[in-house]
Amino acid sequence: MFDKFREECGVFGIFGHAEAAKLAYLGLYALQHRGQESAGIAASDGLRMRAVREMGYVNDIFDHATIATLPGHLAIGHTRYSTAGDSALSNAQPIMIDCVHGQVAICHNGNIVNANELRESLVKQGSIFQTNSDTEVVLHLYARSQAGTFDEALVESIAHLTGAFSFAILTKDHLIAARDPHGFRPLALGRLGEAWVVCSETCALDLINATYVREVEPGEVIVIGANGLQSIRAFPPAKLAHCVFEHVYFARPDSEVFGQSVNDARTNLGKLLARETPVDADVVVPIPDSGVCAAIGYAEEAKLPLRFGLIRNHYVGRTFIEPAQSIRHFGVKVKLNPVKSILAGQRVILIDDSIVRGTTSRKIVKMVRAAGAAEVHLRISCPPTVSPCFYGVDTPRRSELIAATHTLDEIRKYVGADSLGYLSLDGMLAAVGARQQSYCTSCYTGQYPVAFPQDRNAYLQLTLKLDGTPAPVPEEEPEGVV
Ligand code: SF4
């Protein structure tokens, strides 16, 4: 919520419903947690495609009048947080073009790691890019394809990509869903009566009363048209690399991703954390909201009471007007407040899902102590985060990750806890009920399943992220920074 890896993007698509744009709007509403910078919908009535894209929250962008400009029975939608490309309207999605194969619009969740290489080569061949988003390369590859049909052209374009991608793509009369062969990011297929739905998380299906059918398989391209659904295998089988952080933090607990309930996985993380890092204490307190499921599991396993000793204000915007006389730890205080009657005199186990820089954990531990806690034991429901992500998640560079440059005891001292415990890698993988080989764990291990690009720009970006310069123990953030 403060010092966290940033969410990625959410995608949604629907084919065969008279109110396609309205349902896309509702789907995006359910996926808002996956990106809050911009949102957009493209819809088609079978003849012509129209799109609306704006900066801001889904609810601020779309109203009855806006949705009415998007008629048709098929639509795709996107909520964005920029992981590649600037945060600007030009990079908002869906990105729509008109080319030799007709109109096409695309929504992307993930990060195409060879985008710069492809872009450079396309520019040399005469392509003129309108955005600096990695997603646009797919459209240029598609527009240049000599393939005879649009679906062959799409499959040919997607086959050039490496990295992480879950796509929802719209032509004037088809919906296409595609997923990279490693299955980094989730993508679910559902049904609403006769209509087909694709979405990043199943919570979007629930909101519109659609039923979950299955995942779009890693490496699969699904083409949905008037003649039904066609499944194409666009890639040879590859090593699976589902993002384990979807279970730890990103996805909503009421969703199912990678074939498993997020709530169950997250509660298991807490149970195993309790087994691995026991401590004498009186009460288990989650750091809301992302620490709640793991805290429930921890409390159950440790046979300790769970209490909501920190209350989150859900109605806080992105910026605050702070009084001239600055308030200590304003940025955290405006979002979280301690419940003194729960914390005073207690030995508290605080549960969170991750420590990135450590600055926010330090403020929260101080806040809990100031509320009268006798002891504060911080427990983290995943292993130490030691490496950045290149597959669609915004992370600081390596030297800014406190666990990459400090020992467990140094981190404990910095955050000011009486004890600190992380879940082990084996514990995390056991909790998500998977064989180790099915998951990407790069941010915990520094072992990356997809090779890095060789082009100069991307390499520079990577060295910035991977530089091994030891960072000094972080300073307090300026007040008001969240
Ligand atoms: S590096 Fe971490 S955040 Fe990125 S895909 Fe892998 S597990 Fe997910």
Side-chain angles (χ1 to χ4, degrees), residues 5 184-185 243-245 250 388-389 391 393 440-443:
F5 279 16
F184 277 104
R185 312 255 72 92
C243 171
V244 76
F245 212 63
F250 287 132
C389 174
Y391 308 128
V393 175
C440 172
T441 55
S442 307
C443 46

Side-chain angles (χ1 to χ4, degrees), residues 414-458:
Y414 175 71
V415 300
D418 293 288
S419 74
L420 170 65
Y422 287 89
L423 184 61
S424 68
L425 187 65
D426 287 347
M428 179 178 68
L429 290 167
V432 296
R435 288 166 295 122
Q436 182 148 357
Q437 288 77 0
S438 305
Y439 277 89
C440 172
T441 55
S442 307
C443 46
Y444 307 112
T445 60
Q447 306 294 315
Y448 291 91
V450 170
F452 293 134
Q454 294 305 307
D455 69 289
R456 195 170 154 272
N457 286 343

Side-chain angles (χ1 to χ4, degrees), residues 145-168:
S145 169
Q146 303 290 316
T149 61
F150 84 92
D151 48 343
E152 285 169 2
L154 262 179
V155 170
E156 185 193 288
S157 317
I158 290 168
H160 283 92
L161 311 178
T162 58
F165 49 88
S166 284
F167 290 128

